[in-house]
Amino acid sequence: MATLAPLLPAPLATTPGVRAAAVRHLGPNWYASVMGTAIVANAGATLPVHVPGLRTACTAVWALSAAMLLTLLTARAAHWIHHRDRAREHLMDPAVAPFYGCLAMALLAIGAGAPTVGRDWIGVPAAVAVDAVLFTAGTAIGLAAAVAIPYLMVVHHRIEGASPVWLLPVVAPMVSAAVGPLLLPHLPAGQPQQTLLIACYAMFGISLLATLVMLPLVFGRLVTSGPLPLALTPTLFLVLGPLGQSTTAANKFADVAPGVLPAPYAHGFAAFAVLYGVPVMGFALLWLALAGAMVLRARRRGMGFAMTWWAFTFPVGTCVTGAEGLALHTGLAAYRWLAIALYVFLVAAWLVAGFHTLRGLFSGALLAAPGRGPAEPRPVTARTR
């Protein structure tokens, strides 16, 4: 997602060798397309408005995202098997390594969709089993990435400027915090439920505090060094991710705390959902306006499609689910309309990103080697030692 691939045709994958070569430049950023597709389903299923056929459409989109995940996991496995040198380069590249957080979030998003909409097609027992497996795997990978990627940034990467993609590995635990409560009703009462809820709250804190450390660096880089390169400008929308997802998580805690925790703590979570969610959603809207203005500026200056456009989907989707939670706990119609408006934007962004991604796949442009001599300098480089 850090560079635009040249518009060159790729050979048809008609032999095993050609198929292996086709995934050489397939980076972890591609998981963002899975996340962006899954959030369309998950957010639409809980939208505070009745639209005939919406739930069926959301279930179909969830099935599509699950198929995308399976396909991408297979392709990425082939990438690691046949192109380990390139895979290691990705880990050592500070512009690419943070996207390993997307793998965890893709697993978590698909898992959360199973009991939300997937149960309509696969049944409740299978949906819960899918969610449990993907939640466990996604949480483990997310926590590992939240430690490993910052470690690589400190030890092996030479950082020349902060980037919004830094948020990707540290926001993954927040996604676990937001979707973990879906499994609570399927656990035995008492210690198992309490342990999972408190663990989700702990991951909420991990991600929130890490975000508070990194976000000032991102804004400081914009103020002192100017706008991001054109192809990277959409990554400004990534800042919405921890804001919307934390608001969603706070409201999910309030939904499940009664009956799981003692009354004082359950009431505390109910108050926290509103006292935390309202100001954070306000800041998210402020950042949305700022990021939108920067994207319009970049578009006027010739910003073309890149995989960074998927940043317009999942982060906005988290704001949709956050607004849905606030609508439920405040009873305010303003939040219902906000959720609807953001969801319309989300669907439009998903359709545009999906169309251009399919076109780039068929042309071979998105799987071709990165272009030489980019028009604008990369904001970060890797150490050679």
Side-chain angles (χ1 to χ4, degrees):
M1 289 175 71
T3 59
L4 282 169
L7 295 176
L8 298 175
L12 294 176
T14 55
T15 67
V18 173
R19 285 195 294 270
V23 299
R24 176 168 177 78
H25 303 290
L26 185 73
N29 55 301
W30 279 80
Y31 287 112
S33 64
V34 178
M35 297 160 51
T37 302
I39 198 67
V40 171
N42 297 349
T46 52
L47 206 63
V49 62
H50 175 69
V51 178
L54 177 60
R55 185 172 180 85
T56 301
C58 289
T59 307
V61 171
W62 174 79
L64 171 63
S65 66
M68 292 170 61
L69 176 63
L70 290 174
T71 302
L72 192 52
L73 287 173
T74 302
R76 285 284 298 162
H79 172 84
W80 271 94
I81 292 172
H82 298 287
H83 306 289
R84 294 181 183 177
D85 60 325
R86 186 62 175 162
R88 293 190 185 98
E89 288 177 8
H90 285 164
L91 282 173
M92 294 299 105
D93 187 342
V96 180
F99 287 100
Y100 272 91
C102 291
L103 168 58
M105 291 185 280
L107 295 172
L108 293 166
I110 302 300
T116 303
V117 291
R119 65 182 183 182
D120 295 350
W121 287 6
I122 65 176
V124 173
V128 173
V130 168
D131 189 19
V133 170
L134 294 184
F135 174 77
T136 302
T139 298
I141 294 172
L143 290 173
V147 175
I149 301 305
Y151 174 84
L152 290 175
M153 291 170 64
V154 172
V155 176
H156 293 290
H157 298 165
R158 183 177 299 281
I159 307 298
E160 295 181 357
S163 169
V165 302
W166 290 6
L167 296 170
L168 290 172
V170 300
V171 78
M174 186 67 78
V175 180
S176 293
V179 303
L182 291 172
L183 289 171
L184 281 177
H186 307 285
L187 291 178
Q191 287 285 323
Q193 289 186 341
Q194 293 174 356
T195 300
L196 178 56
L197 180 55
I198 295 302
C200 289
Y201 190 42
M203 289 187 286
F204 175 96
I206 291 172
S207 184
L208 177 62
L209 295 177
T211 298
L212 292 178
V213 169
M214 292 187 176
L215 189 53
L217 301 177
V218 174
F219 185 71
R221 181 255 181 260
L222 294 175
V223 172
T224 58
S225 301
L228 296 175
L230 297 183
L232 297 180
T233 302
T235 62
L236 290 171
F237 274 67
L238 295 176
V239 175
L240 298 175
L243 303 176
Q245 199 70 79
S246 63
T247 302
T248 301
N251 281 273
K252 293 297 184 183
F253 297 156
D255 290 339
V256 300
V260 174
L261 298 178
Y265 300 107
H267 294 323
F269 271 121
F272 179 69
V274 176
L275 296 178
Y276 173 86
V278 170
V280 171
M281 184 57 66
F283 180 72
L285 294 177
L286 172 66
W287 190 270
L288 176 62
L290 174 63
M294 297 297 293
V295 167
L296 291 176
R297 173 190 176 277
R299 187 63 174 166
R300 289 195 302 268
R301 283 162 172 75
M303 181 188 75
F305 175 74
M307 288 297 287
T308 50
W309 284 33
W310 283 100
F312 298 139
T313 56
F314 189 83
V316 174
T318 67
C319 292
V320 175
T321 55
E324 291 170 352
L326 289 174
L328 176 64
H329 289 104
T330 64
L332 293 177
Y335 283 114
R336 290 197 295 272
W337 286 109
L338 176 61
I340 294 169
L342 290 174
Y343 188 72
V344 170
F345 177 90
L346 167 63
V347 172
W350 174 67
L351 291 172
V352 171
F355 170 77
H356 284 286
T357 300
L358 287 174
R359 188 171 68 173
L361 279 174
F362 285 123
S363 70
L366 292 179
L367 294 178
R372 302 293 182 183
E376 298 175 89
R378 293 166 62 96
V380 289
T381 57
R383 288 194 182 113
T384 56
R385 63 174 176 83

